[in-house]
């Protein structure tokens, strides 16, 4: 499947493709954020496409003034623009979709089955060839592979598969096959606006090398949820030690009898007790309860049929073993159809997914695609004061160590340490 | 010059253009850009440079249709009809044509390979000769003769190889065409079935309806899920069904938003002083549109455009946010809307169903004077203090 072009392109994108790097797909370069600069000229050079009529000299556009502020009426300006357009047209027009005989794969899409509503239709590949099918489709017992509509459309668009529309002739005596072009494939495979969005996101992710699979409802694991917590204030630990642990039942009776009046005195008591150390003082200052979004009991499950998890993503290296949890899970949102999920909806999504950190929301706007990542983190759960103290201590210890270890070179070492601060 | 109408393929309620000449016309004459969204086969591992199909936003489609510059194709229906009329003879013809093409391909490829090999051989030979000359100091008369005979040999051998080409099957390139244009039956079908005014009107209705009313946007109860697929069965179904249980208030709101954004594009292209402007979807800046003073291939954008209905309240925070963002990226944050007409107010009280509402929308769309009502304000962060 992977041919010279792929390799060339990898060189060309210079690490922009997120396959080897650990970048998230949502993170894009800053210049791309500002304005997408499509320099088809440099692309042409890099990808080494032979285009008739455009000699290498003629399509090298001067570097300076790559993008201007606004058009001026002079001819030079128009020439530059026309040149850029021509290169774009030529690149699109001359890069034909297809493959050589060695890699020839045929797929079949039934024209008759489309009447069965509600059931998903699959394309059949009788003789799958090439590495693309390792991470695609559903294999059958006869070594056929069944492909989803987005998988087959992606392969056709890439030029890797020859697809035929098959069906009965009018008198239903014989079968006939129609070789499909890209336009026919789109019209045959896509049935709703949802389908188009799914296909668009699918091919976007596939282009960057991810292994993309439909997310089915049955692979779900309840996320590890901490119960509602209050801060480990001194009063609670006090109660724990005094009553709850050794004498639970007695403790609860005591609590009922004495708890309320004692609690009233506690604030003063707390301050008194907290004199022991700074950390206990800090602990006693916890006033608010904390937790992740999911921890609160007033969570109400909402209908999230609008925001289904559509795809599971794996980085190519992580997909070797079966049952590896996905690296990301993708929800698709189209700005022209709906708004972003509400907090309640996000909570409901979190309840269904593998891990909060792995949810991506793909936002589509007429061919523009953007990924955002809703996460929930338990800020209060981290003892920032303790960690700060620990870090300081560690740093001091390290400095001391390096000073004593390096001996003669201690000057240099300490300077380095200061620099790092 | 009479400009021909551009056929826009409707698939999955998305407007797509598959033909490169059409894309050229859209870009250069109508200043409609769309977004290229198909994998580029020569470079299938990136998403910066993409190929056909070109995806058009609903605003661009409605603008083109309202100006009489494009028509819609119910692609599902055409493909279905095309398949119905496709016979075994056609398959045979197609295969023959394919085989001829393959043979040509093979010839070309073989010649290329052959010439390359020869070029390489000659190069090495020349090198050897040069080395010989250097060492022996002889004149190169013999070398010249050899060069000529080589050339003859090349011609001879290439002739030979072309005759026995079919054996080399591995050089066959299986090509998938981008568009159906040029297939004789296809063009005929589009012309006959799709091009009538009545059909276009119903098609437009279905397209707009599926955009405005769907299970996602709260206009309709989620229990009416089935409406999404209707346009793809038959066009008549699309018109009749799926408008029940609609929240008219929300529908009207969406209609107004949509018409103001279409009017905005119309107004941009109708005035001489702004006729060079181009519009792209504004996701990158969190708005509806981003407007460029020239083709985005050459120029940076200037405006970030948002749409509001005339009486709609605008959150002040959005103003501050937008203004600061726009100044930060050297652009202007624009608020756009259209003045309400008396007629529309009347229609509000009279239209009782979603069908009437959308019909009214289409009528308003073709009303030519609409672009004069567009009002734009720009917001700039003062950066003071």
């Amino acid at each position: 499947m992977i041919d010279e072009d792929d390799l060339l392109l990898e060189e060309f994108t210079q690490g922009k493709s997120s396959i080897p790097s650990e970048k998230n797909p949502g993170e894009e370069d800053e210049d791309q954020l500002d304005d997408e600069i499509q320099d088809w000229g440099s692309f042409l050079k890099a990808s080494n496409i032979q285009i008739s009529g455009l000699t290498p000299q003629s399509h090298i556009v001067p570097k300076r003034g790559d993008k201007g502020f606004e058009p001026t009426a002079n001819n030079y300006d128009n020439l530059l623009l026309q040149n850029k357009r021509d290169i774009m047209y030529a690149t699109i027009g001359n890069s034909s979709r297809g493959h050589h005989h060695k890699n020839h794969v045929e797929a079949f899409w039934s024209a008759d089955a489309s009447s069965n509503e509600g059931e998903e239709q699959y394309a059949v590949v009788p003789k799958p060839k090439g590495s693309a099918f390792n991470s695609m489709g559903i294999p059958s017992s006869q070594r056929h592979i069944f492909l989803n509509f987005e998988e087959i459309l992606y392969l056709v668009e890439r030029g890797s598969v020859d697809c035929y529309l098959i069906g009965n002739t009018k008198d239903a005596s014989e079968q006939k096959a129609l070789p499909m072009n890209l336009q026919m494939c789109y019209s045959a495979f896509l049935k709703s606006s949802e389908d188009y969005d799914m296909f668009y996101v699918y091919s976007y992710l596939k282009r960057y090398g991810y292994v993309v699979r439909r997310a089915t409802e049955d692979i779900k694991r309840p996320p590890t949820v901490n119960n509602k917590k209050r801060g480990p204030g001194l009063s609670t630990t006090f109660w724990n030690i005094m009553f709850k642990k050794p004498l639970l039942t007695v403790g609860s009776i005591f609590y009922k009898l004495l708890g309320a009046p004692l609690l009233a005195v506690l604030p003063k008591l707390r301050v008194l007790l907290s004199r022991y150390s700074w950390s206990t003082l800090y602990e006693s200052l916890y006033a608010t309860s904390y937790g992740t979004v999911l921890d609160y009991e007033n969570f109400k499950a909402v209908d999230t049929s609008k925001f289904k998890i559509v795809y599971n993503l794996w980085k190519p290296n992580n997909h070797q073993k079966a049952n590896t949890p996905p690296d990301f899970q993708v929800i698709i949102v189209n700005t022209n159809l709906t708004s972003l999920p509400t907090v309640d909806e996000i909570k409901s999504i979190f309840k269904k997914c593998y891990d909060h950190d792995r949810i991506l929301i793909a936002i589509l706007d007429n061919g523009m695609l953007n990924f955002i990542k809703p996460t929930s983190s338990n800020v209060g759960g981290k003892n920032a004061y303790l960690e700060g103290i620990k870090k300081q201590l560690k740093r001091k210890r390290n400095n001391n160590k390096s000073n004593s270890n390096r001996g003669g070179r201690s000057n240099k070492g300490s300077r380095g340490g200061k620099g790092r601060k | 010059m009479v400009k021909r109408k551009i056929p826009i393929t409707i698939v999955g309620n998305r407007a797509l253009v598959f033909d490169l000449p059409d894309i050229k016309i859209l870009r250069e004459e109508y200043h409609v850009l769309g977004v290229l969204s198909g994998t580029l086969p020569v470079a299938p591992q990136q998403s910066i440079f993409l190929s056909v199909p070109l995806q058009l936003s609903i605003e661009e489609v409605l603008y083109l249709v309202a100006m009489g510059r494009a028509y819609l194709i119910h692609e599902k229906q055409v493909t279905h009809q095309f398949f119905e009329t496709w016979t075994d003879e056609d398959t045979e013809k197609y295969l023959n044509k394919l085989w001829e093409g393959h043979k040509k391909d093979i010839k070309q490829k073989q010649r290329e390979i052959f010439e390359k090999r020869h070029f390489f051989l000659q190069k090495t030979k020349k090198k050897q000769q040069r080395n010989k000359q250097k060492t022996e100091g002889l004149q190169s008369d013999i070398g010249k003769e050899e060069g000529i005979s080589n050339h003859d040999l090349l011609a001879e051998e290439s002739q030979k190889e072309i005759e026995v080409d079919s054996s080399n099957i591995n050089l066959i390139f299986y090509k998938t065409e981008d568009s159906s244009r040029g297939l004789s039956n296809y063009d005929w079908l589009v012309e006959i079935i799709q091009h009538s005014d009545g059909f276009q009107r119903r098609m437009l209705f279905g397209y707009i309806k599926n955009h405005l009313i769907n299970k996602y946007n709260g206009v309709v109860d989620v229990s009416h899920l089935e409406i999404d697929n209707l346009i793809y069965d038959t066009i008549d179904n699309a018109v009749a069904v799926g408008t029940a249980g609609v929240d008219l208030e929300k529908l009207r709101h969406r209609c107004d938003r949509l018409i103001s954004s279409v009017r905005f594009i119309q107004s941009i292209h109708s005035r001489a002083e702004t006729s060079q402007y181009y519009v792209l979807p504004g996701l990158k800046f969190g708005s509806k549109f981003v407007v460029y003073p020239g083709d985005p291939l050459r120029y940076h954008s200037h405006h970030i455009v948002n749409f509001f209905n005339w009486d709609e309240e605008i959150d002040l925070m959005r103003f501050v946010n937008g203004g600061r963002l726009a100044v930060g990226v050297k652009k202007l944050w624009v608020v756009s809307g259209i003045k309400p007409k008396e007629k529309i107010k009347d229609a509000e009280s009279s239209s009782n169903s979603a069908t009437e509402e959308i019909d009214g929308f289409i009528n308003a769309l073709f009303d030519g004077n609409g672009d004069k009502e567009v009002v734009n304000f720009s917001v700039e962060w003062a950066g003071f203090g």
Side-chain angles (χ1 to χ4, degrees):
Chain A
M1 264 314 127
I2 290 167
D3 47 19
E4 293 171 13
D5 300 327
D6 298 5
L7 295 173
L8 271 167
L9 211 91
E10 245 170 61
E11 245 171 63
F12 162 67
T13 43
Q14 291 168 358
K16 254 185 190 170
S17 77
S18 46
I19 319 155
S21 70
E22 286 176 6
K23 249 182 174 180
N24 297 327
E27 289 173 13
E28 281 177 300
D29 286 357
E30 257 183 80
D31 55 335
Q32 227 181 319
L33 189 81
D34 177 32
D35 247 326
E36 206 166 281
I37 294 168
Q38 284 196 329
D39 192 352
W40 288 80
S42 67
F43 168 70
L44 201 64
K45 265 191 284 171
S47 59
N48 220 4
I49 307 163
Q50 298 283 328
I51 288 168
S52 56
L54 281 167
T55 53
Q57 282 86 359
S58 73
H59 67 246
I60 295 173
V61 185
K63 266 274 172 220
R64 215 160 60 114
D66 233 3
K67 247 188 169 191
F69 178 70
E70 62 184 8
T72 56
N74 67 36
N75 284 335
Y76 178 68
D77 216 37
N78 290 337
L79 189 79
L80 283 183
L81 175 59
Q82 200 53 49
N83 204 339
K84 284 202 167 186
R85 280 175 172 168
D86 287 344
I87 292 165
M88 185 178 97
Y89 300 144
T91 314
I92 294 169
N94 284 284
S95 67
S96 42
R97 304 172 198 283
H99 49 271
H100 285 289
H101 183 78
K102 204 171 63 183
N103 305 321
H104 184 54
V105 179
E106 281 174 348
F108 298 97
W109 185 269
S110 167
D112 305 325
S114 55
S115 52
N116 295 345
E117 264 185 45
E119 263 179 55
E120 171 127 26
Q121 202 187 335
Y122 294 96
V124 187
V125 184
K127 289 173 189 166
K129 229 190 259 178
S131 58
F133 293 103
N134 294 346
S135 58
M136 252 186 192
I138 306 157
S140 81
S141 52
Q142 294 119 329
R143 288 199 172 179
H144 300 173
I145 277 188
F146 294 98
L147 295 176
N148 289 333
F149 71 87
E150 67 263 34
E151 289 169 333
I152 180 70
L153 192 49
Y154 166 74
L155 286 174
V156 170
E157 200 172 72
R158 208 174 173 280
S160 313
V161 161
D162 226 6
C163 193
Y164 291 89
L165 189 65
I166 52 168
N168 293 322
T169 46
K170 265 180 193 164
D171 51 347
S173 57
E174 279 179 52
Q175 283 224 323
K176 59 177 178 178
L178 167 68
M180 294 169 97
N181 56 34
L182 189 67
Q183 190 168 2
M184 287 174 184
C185 286
Y186 265 82
S187 72
F189 302 159
L190 303 178
K191 293 194 169 63
S192 67
S193 44
E194 241 180 355
D195 288 358
Y196 185 86
D197 289 345
M198 276 172 77
F199 164 68
Y200 194 77
V201 172
Y202 179 84
S203 58
Y204 183 91
L205 293 167
K206 280 302 272 190
R207 282 197 288 265
Y208 283 124
Y210 285 103
V211 174
V212 188
R213 292 287 196 170
R214 284 269 186 91
T216 46
E217 286 292 316
D218 53 328
I219 340 166
K220 57 184 171 187
R221 201 179 59 192
T224 49
V225 184
N226 301 324
N227 286 326
K228 185 182 171 183
K229 258 188 196 169
R230 281 189 76 86
L234 207 90
S235 58
T236 45
T237 45
F238 179 65
W239 281 109
N240 276 343
I241 295 160
M242 285 304 288
F243 301 109
K244 285 191 179 167
K245 272 177 189 166
L247 301 159
L248 204 69
T249 43
V250 183
S252 59
I253 296 161
F254 260 92
Y255 180 78
K256 273 174 190 165
L257 291 173
L258 300 172
L262 239 177
L263 271 177
V265 197
L266 255 181
K268 284 176 192 171
L269 194 74
R270 213 193 277 171
V271 176
L272 271 174
L273 286 170
S274 65
R275 294 280 160 82
Y276 286 118
S277 76
W278 283 109
S279 72
T280 45
L281 178 66
Y282 278 127
E283 275 175 13
S284 69
L285 285 174
Y286 267 127
T288 51
S289 57
Y290 56 81
T292 63
V293 193
L294 286 170
D295 294 342
Y296 297 98
E297 292 302 320
N298 59 358
F299 165 82
K300 67 169 192 261
V302 202
D303 174 37
T304 52
S305 63
K306 286 198 278 184
F307 304 103
K308 266 188 296 191
I309 294 169
V310 182
Y311 289 123
N312 288 333
L313 295 194
W314 287 267
K315 288 171 188 168
N317 302 335
N318 287 356
H319 193 52
Q320 269 129 26
K321 280 182 215 156
N323 296 328
T324 322
D327 291 319
F328 296 105
Q329 297 191 294
V330 179
I331 295 164
I332 299 171
V333 171
N334 189 319
T335 54
N336 290 302
L337 298 179
T338 182
S339 50
L340 275 178
T342 60
V343 176
D344 278 340
E345 280 160 342
I346 285 184
K347 281 187 212 164
S348 303
I349 293 163
F350 278 168
K351 283 246 167 177
K352 284 183 191 168
C353 65
Y354 277 99
D355 189 351
H356 308 172
D357 293 344
R358 296 181 183 182
I359 290 286
L360 290 175
I361 301 180
I363 306 173
L364 276 160
D365 176 19
N366 292 307
M368 303 277 171
L369 184 54
N370 204 357
F371 287 92
I372 62 168
K373 197 173 176 182
T375 56
S376 103
S377 62
N378 188 352
V379 177
K382 283 181 184 172
N383 284 338
Y385 57 93
L386 266 182
E387 276 175 25
I389 291 167
K390 272 181 198 165
K391 260 185 198 171
Q392 274 187 359
L393 281 173
K394 224 182 186 180
R395 214 178 285 157
K396 268 186 193 170
R397 231 176 276 152
N398 282 346
N399 275 354
N400 289 341
K401 247 188 206 172
S402 64
N403 284 350
S404 58
N405 281 351
R406 287 181 186 176
R409 276 187 287 167
S410 66
N411 251 346
K412 207 178 178 182
S414 65
R415 211 182 292 152
K418 267 178 195 169
R420 249 175 272 137
K421 281 173 197 172
Chain B
M1 195 183 95
V2 182
K3 291 169 179 173
R4 72 185 167 92
K5 281 191 171 186
I6 306 290
I8 295 174
T9 301
I10 304 292
V11 170
N13 219 44
R14 294 305 148 81
L16 304 170
V17 179
F18 285 87
D19 207 31
L20 190 59
D22 287 349
I23 294 174
K24 272 187 205 178
I25 293 176
L26 286 178
R27 191 176 195 108
E28 291 178 14
E29 290 177 28
Y30 302 148
H31 295 186
V32 168
L33 298 165
V35 179
L36 288 168
S37 51
T39 306
L40 189 67
V42 290
Q45 294 201 321
Q46 45 87 40
S47 289
I48 304 161
F49 301 100
L50 294 177
S51 177
V52 292
L54 183 84
Q55 192 183 341
L56 295 175
S57 66
I58 188 168
E59 291 84 6
E60 286 168 328
V61 172
L62 294 184
Y63 159 69
L64 288 168
V65 169
M67 302 302 279
R69 288 169 180 172
Y71 61 97
L72 308 179
I73 298 179
H74 190 284
E75 189 64 31
K76 199 121 210 155
Q77 193 179 353
V78 175
T79 305
H80 182 71
Q81 299 269 359
F82 188 79
F83 185 65
E84 289 287 300
T85 55
W86 183 265
T87 59
D88 279 352
E89 274 176 47
D90 291 320
T91 314
E92 212 166 288
K93 257 191 229 164
Y94 173 83
L95 287 176
N96 280 336
K97 208 176 143 196
L98 207 66
W99 180 235
E100 289 303 316
H102 285 338
K103 274 204 257 184
K104 234 189 226 169
D105 261 11
I106 292 175
K107 272 181 199 175
Q108 176 121 20
K109 271 277 150 60
Q110 279 190 329
R111 176 166 280 162
E112 273 171 27
I113 292 170
F114 189 75
E115 279 173 8
K116 250 185 211 168
R117 204 199 300 150
H118 251 268
F119 180 70
F120 182 70
L121 275 175
Q122 275 186 329
K123 235 186 174 177
T124 48
K125 246 183 199 173
K126 269 185 191 170
K127 244 189 192 172
Q128 283 172 355
Q129 276 176 7
R130 233 179 277 150
N131 287 344
K132 258 188 193 174
Q133 280 167 22
K134 268 183 192 170
T135 51
E136 295 174 15
L138 286 171
Q139 285 297 313
S140 60
D141 288 342
I142 315 151
K144 265 182 191 167
E145 269 172 31
E146 262 182 36
I148 293 159
S149 63
N150 263 343
H151 200 76
D152 289 342
L153 201 71
L154 174 76
E156 228 173 79
E157 272 192 41
S158 62
Q159 280 290 328
K160 241 192 241 166
E161 295 224 11
I162 288 162
E163 281 161 23
V164 278
D165 51 12
S166 56
S167 59
N168 204 342
I169 204 167
N170 275 342
L171 292 175
I172 294 178
F173 185 76
Y174 292 86
K175 191 178 171 184
T176 305
E177 294 291 340
D178 289 338
S179 95
S180 304
R181 182 77 62 79
L183 297 169
S184 56
N185 288 358
Y186 179 86
D187 289 350
W188 176 78
L189 280 169
V190 169
E191 197 64 37
I192 297 297
I193 304 170
Q194 309 264 304
H195 215 145
S196 74
D197 283 348
F199 185 87
Q200 282 300 310
R201 173 85 185 200
R202 280 182 298 161
M203 191 65 206
L204 194 62
F205 184 93
Y207 177 58
I208 294 170
K209 189 209 73 192
N210 275 8
H211 179 83
L212 293 173
I213 308 171
N214 56 59
K215 63 180 169 184
Y216 297 104
N217 57 18
V219 170
V220 72
D221 204 320
V222 187
S223 58
H224 295 265
L225 292 183
E226 74 279 12
I227 58 160
D228 215 35
N229 287 326
L230 282 174
I231 196 175
Y232 314 105
D233 296 344
T234 63
I235 191 74
D236 296 307
N237 268 348
V239 175
V241 197
T243 48
V246 168
D247 185 338
L248 273 179
E249 198 59 43
K250 278 185 183 165
L251 179 65
R252 212 162 280 145
H253 183 83
R254 281 181 69 83
C255 272
D256 289 348
R257 277 276 176 96
L258 185 58
I259 197 103
S260 55
S261 48
V262 176
R263 289 279 185 254
F264 176 79
I265 295 184
Q266 267 179 325
S267 75
I268 268 186
H269 292 317
S270 67
R271 289 176 204 161
E273 70 265 26
T274 56
S275 64
Q276 279 291 320
Y277 277 69
Y278 288 77
V279 173
L280 274 183
L283 183 71
K284 274 181 276 176
F285 298 102
S287 67
K288 186 76 198 166
F289 293 141
V290 175
V291 176
Y292 293 76
D295 193 314
L297 283 176
R298 270 279 297 148
Y299 306 103
H300 290 290
S301 60
H302 283 188
H303 305 285
I304 301 169
V305 186
N306 299 269
F307 294 95
F308 295 97
N309 291 341
W310 194 254
D311 297 327
E312 197 176 334
E313 273 186 31
I314 307 174
D315 191 357
L316 199 59
M317 291 301 252
R318 278 202 71 184
F319 256 81
V320 177
N321 184 11
R324 288 189 72 125
L325 165 82
V327 169
V329 293
K330 296 175 197 161
K331 296 184 204 319
L332 273 180
W333 198 71
V334 176
V335 181
S336 178
I338 51 172
K339 281 181 198 165
K341 269 192 207 164
E342 295 304 314
K343 215 170 86 186
I344 291 174
K345 271 186 185 167
D346 290 345
E348 257 180 24
S349 53
S350 67
S351 77
N352 295 318
S353 72
T355 318
E356 275 176 44
E357 186 71 37
I358 295 169
D359 263 331
F361 176 85
I362 296 173
N363 289 335
L365 189 71
F366 285 105
D367 182 7
N369 296 324
D371 56 299
K372 295 213 171 64
E373 300 139 24
V374 179
V375 182
N376 299 319
F377 294 101
S378 68
V379 177
E380 192 184 356
W381 175 48
F384 179 76

